Amino acid sequence: MSDRLPKSPDNAKSPNNDGGANQRISADDVAKVANLSRLTLDADELDLFTHQLADILDHARDIEALDLEGVEPMARPLPLVNVFRADEPGEPLDRAEVLAAAPSVENNQFRVPPSLGER
Amino acid sequence: MTSNPGAHLTAIDIAASVRSGERTAGDVLEEHLERIASSDAEIHAFNHVMVDEARHCAQAVDTAVKAGEDPGPLAGVPVALKDNMCTRAVPTTCSSRILQGWKPPYDATVVQRLGMAGAVVIGKTNMDEFAMGSSTENSAFGPTRNPWDTSCVPGGSSGGSAAAVAAGFVPISLGSDTGGSIRQPAALCGVVGVKPTYGAVSRFGLIAFASSLDQIGPFANTVADAALVLEAIAGHDPADSTSIREPFAELFPHLDDGVSGTRIGLITEMMGEGIDADVAARTREAADALEAAGATVQEVSIPAVNYGLSAYYLVAPAEASSNLARYDGVRYGNRVEGNTTDEMMFATRTEGFGDEVKRRIMLGAYALSAGYYDAFYGKALKVRTLIRADFQVAYEKFDVLLSPTSPSTAFPLGDKTADPMAMYLNDVCTIPTNLAGHPAISVPFGTGDDGLSIGVQVLAPPQGEQQMFTAAAVLESAAPGGAR
């Protein structure tokens, strides 16, 4: 596999691969992923995180120069196999104990604020 | 702290004396609780000490011994757990505000197995929030300090578990290792730390960070103690679908086998740039010691490990962004109220998570998002394949591999907190093992120019723990000045 690697990681920073990935992450990108992640950032945080994420992603650019044609992705160390077990009832978690750990409970169920429309 | 008051008390000695009735588990426990009470204010290894539960447990062990029963191989041995392992009705926080005060409704499999082996769980240790970090400074409850030099970090993310063993608070502890979080703090605290083969130890009840990388393993003062704990917690668990079905290796019968004829490869990529000269020097001396004990040692190149850090900091955040989506203020953990469910979730997560966790969640969400998935996450997964393949080639010629564990000795608190990338570089030697799913162990081997501990890492192929422990035992006996 070594022949797939460039001579040195220093030569690996390629300016013209993979469309969007060669542009530095922008404040707008960070604001978008913050929203997807349900995180609120103030202006200072947005600026700081944008710079930090850009630095991390810059470091990761060394993999862009690798010849990965035909290489299978490895999502996990072990082969994926179906795991079956006998269909026998086991001991469930104690309902009262589970609900005692919830932030808000009503009628033995988790309670949340309204999810649709105005309160 | 200039000496380790507990280093001479091995888990093996404690268990033998409790099983024979020479000492009680209760007395052993009280000695350790006293040490924690007198010194942990300075170290902050623990988030929570389980005084009542531990006394109850020790009493049960002593009752069993009196009744002529064998409580098990860890009889009366006090154990500390990283605070990301679920303990029923005992606070489990991941050192995060979002889980502060949460009491899980069940025990992790490792907690059950420690109990069955007669161990006494004594408390939950501090960590980088959700195991994200290399210094234990990312804890919401304040940093842990290195027992050898309290102005320095203990490493991380399992810094509390490493410091607890180094300070003599417990003879053994458990940590979790996603990119080096057991081995790096073990190296910086001068103790033994093991990252087993992926799937060797059940992850049921381990709070997930990056599920394809996370693995639980032990800290101990000696290689034999680490083997004792690992044998007790390893093995198939139907509750973890990634748990290996074959029986775990027998470690003890082979600890004294020696390395005569063993083929050992010194990893070239982990001996050059970025590795401090004193760390590289100790690693070469470790290689010489193994050669003197009868092994053949040669340098071996594993080119793809140069890309490990890049792949890791795409794969681990991607998995974390998905795993940490569950902290939404609905079913457990803390909630910050809002007018709508969405407002509540934003407020809960914004206040509940620290900066490093937020960074990794956003980085992961970005690496997985449309337009970037193939360029970042997809490529990182292919790099994983290359790393595993390069290791495979090396293991055709070598039985185990050798490298430094951490590029430097312990660094001062605050040294790297402003620069995430500088912090990440701590894990450059440990990360490839996690990406490949292989086992590795860090053994203390002398000190650096600053007098602080240096760890040397023995790496092995999947399920190669037996030869890995045999080589580690030889290194331990050859370490300069013995164990610190």
Side-chain angles (χ1 to χ4, degrees):
Chain A
M1 285 293 170
S2 328
D3 55 339
R4 293 179 178 279
L5 307 177
K7 290 282 175 272
S8 142
D10 296 334
N11 301 333
K13 296 193 173 39
S14 159
N16 53 10
N17 275 344
D18 297 299
N22 57 22
Q23 281 180 350
R24 286 202 113 204
I25 188 169
S26 67
D28 283 351
D29 294 329
V30 176
K32 190 180 158 208
V33 289
N35 185 56
L36 288 172
S37 309
R38 297 294 181 267
L39 296 168
T40 307
L41 306 181
D42 65 28
D44 288 346
E45 286 172 326
L46 184 62
D47 186 53
L48 179 69
F49 284 133
T50 302
H51 282 100
Q52 289 175 334
L53 295 189
D55 284 350
I56 298 164
L57 289 166
D58 275 351
H59 186 278
R61 274 172 205 286
D62 59 5
I63 64 174
E64 282 178 14
L66 296 174
D67 173 15
L68 297 168
E69 192 64 37
V71 177
E72 283 296 312
M74 170 182 171
R76 59 192 70 77
L78 301 169
L80 199 58
V81 288
N82 267 332
V83 177
F84 297 107
R85 65 164 172 81
D87 187 17
E88 289 160 0
E91 196 63 33
L93 295 177
D94 183 85
R95 188 185 185 106
E97 207 175 343
V98 170
L99 290 173
S104 182
V105 172
E106 191 176 295
N107 297 332
N108 272 331
Q109 294 172 67
F110 301 120
R111 187 176 188 277
V112 292
S115 5
L116 296 170
E118 301 292 313
R119 169 177 274 193
Chain B
M1 200 170 293
T2 52
S3 67
N4 180 342
H8 61 286
L9 285 173
T10 67
I12 289 173
D13 290 343
I14 292 172
S17 65
V18 169
R19 284 167 117 173
S20 70
E22 187 189 323
R23 306 181 68 197
T24 66
D27 287 348
V28 171
L29 173 65
E30 294 306 323
E31 275 173 28
H32 287 85
L33 287 174
E34 272 169 37
R35 266 184 226 134
I36 293 167
S38 68
S39 303
D40 198 42
E42 191 185 5
I43 305 297
H44 188 209
F46 285 93
N47 281 345
H48 180 75
V49 181
M50 298 157 58
V51 178
D52 294 339
E53 294 90 346
R55 282 184 178 144
H56 187 257
C57 180
Q59 211 167 31
V61 170
D62 288 332
T63 305
V65 172
K66 274 185 199 131
E69 295 159 24
D70 182 3
L74 292 170
V77 177
V79 184
L81 303 174
K82 188 177 185 179
D83 207 7
N84 60 353
M85 296 173 206
C86 288
T87 41
R88 187 172 187 177
V90 172
T92 300
T93 69
C94 280
S95 288
S96 180
R97 284 188 297 276
I98 212 160
L99 283 178
Q100 192 168 11
W102 179 55
K103 294 177 180 174
Y106 67 99
D107 278 327
T109 296
V110 289
V111 177
Q112 297 171 31
R113 293 200 177 170
L114 286 171
M116 286 189 292
V120 175
V121 176
I122 201 170
K124 309 295 290 288
T125 60
N126 197 17
M127 54 189 280
D128 285 299
E129 186 178 3
F130 285 102
M132 299 175 190
S134 310
S135 69
T136 317
E137 291 168 292
N138 292 334
S139 166
F141 313 132
T144 297
R145 288 168 185 274
N146 191 310
W148 298 107
D149 180 344
T150 53
S151 71
C152 288
V153 301
S157 66
S158 314
S161 284
V165 171
F169 297 155
V170 280
I172 51 178
S173 61
L174 297 188
S176 63
D177 191 315
T178 305
S181 281
I182 292 173
R183 290 161 286 158
Q184 184 257 12
L188 269 49
C189 287
V191 299
V192 175
V194 187
K195 185 261 170 206
T197 303
Y198 182 81
V201 178
S202 170
R203 291 184 295 114
F204 179 74
L206 171 71
I207 295 175
F209 159 18
S211 304
S212 81
L213 305 164
D214 297 341
Q215 186 60 198
I216 294 174
F219 290 94
N221 281 306
T222 66
V223 171
D225 271 5
L228 182 75
V229 186
L230 190 49
E231 284 192 348
I233 61 172
H236 183 248
D237 177 14
D240 174 358
S241 63
T242 61
S243 165
I244 293 172
R245 285 170 175 270
E246 296 93 63
F248 186 69
E250 284 198 322
L251 304 176
F252 261 92
H254 302 280
L255 279 184
D256 297 327
D257 281 2
V259 289
S260 184
T262 304
R263 301 164 304 165
I264 296 173
L266 182 61
I267 303 174
T268 306
E269 285 75 9
M270 297 183 185
M271 291 297 286
E273 197 189 337
I275 308 297
D276 284 358
D278 50 357
V279 173
R282 287 306 91 72
T283 309
R284 286 199 188 281
E285 287 161 25
D288 292 345
L290 289 164
E291 203 158 35
T296 58
V297 181
Q298 273 183 295
E299 283 219 15
V300 57
S301 175
I302 306 185
V305 301
N306 281 332
Y307 300 87
L309 199 66
S310 295
Y312 178 85
Y313 277 100
L314 296 170
V315 171
E319 294 188 22
S321 73
S322 168
N323 272 326
L324 272 64
R326 73 191 62 175
Y327 303 103
D328 55 10
V330 174
R331 293 157 303 159
Y332 60 100
N334 293 311
R335 170 188 294 187
V336 177
E337 288 300 343
N339 289 323
T340 64
T341 298
D342 216 34
E343 277 180 35
M344 179 275 285
M345 287 180 182
F346 268 97
T348 295
R349 291 167 64 83
T350 300
E351 286 195 29
F353 292 136
D355 281 357
E356 182 61 23
V357 173
K358 289 177 182 173
R359 256 191 301 275
R360 299 217 199 173
I361 289 173
M362 291 190 289
L363 185 59
Y366 183 70
L368 289 173
S369 59
Y372 300 101
Y373 182 98
D374 288 339
F376 289 124
Y377 183 67
K379 278 206 163 172
L381 293 187
K382 292 179 177 181
V383 172
R384 262 186 110 164
T385 302
L386 295 188
I387 289 173
R388 184 172 59 178
D390 275 3
F391 270 123
Q392 249 158 16
V393 170
Y395 284 125
E396 280 164 19
K397 290 187 192 143
F398 298 98
D399 302 305
V400 294
L401 302 174
L402 193 69
S403 81
T405 306
S406 167
S408 72
T409 58
F411 46 91
L413 270 90
D415 215 28
K416 298 180 181 180
T417 41
D419 184 355
M421 205 56 233
M423 189 68 88
Y424 297 172
L425 287 167
N426 276 294
D427 300 328
V428 69
C429 298
T430 47
I431 276 172
T433 320
N434 298 79
L435 289 170
H438 295 177
I441 184 170
S442 179
V443 181
F445 201 87
T447 54
D449 298 339
D450 52 11
L452 293 171
S453 308
I454 285 174
V456 170
Q457 181 177 225
V458 180
L459 306 87
Q463 296 170 273
E465 275 88 348
Q466 198 173 85
Q467 65 257 39
M468 182 178 94
F469 267 82
T470 304
V474 171
L475 272 186
E476 178 179 52
S477 60
R484 259 195 75 167

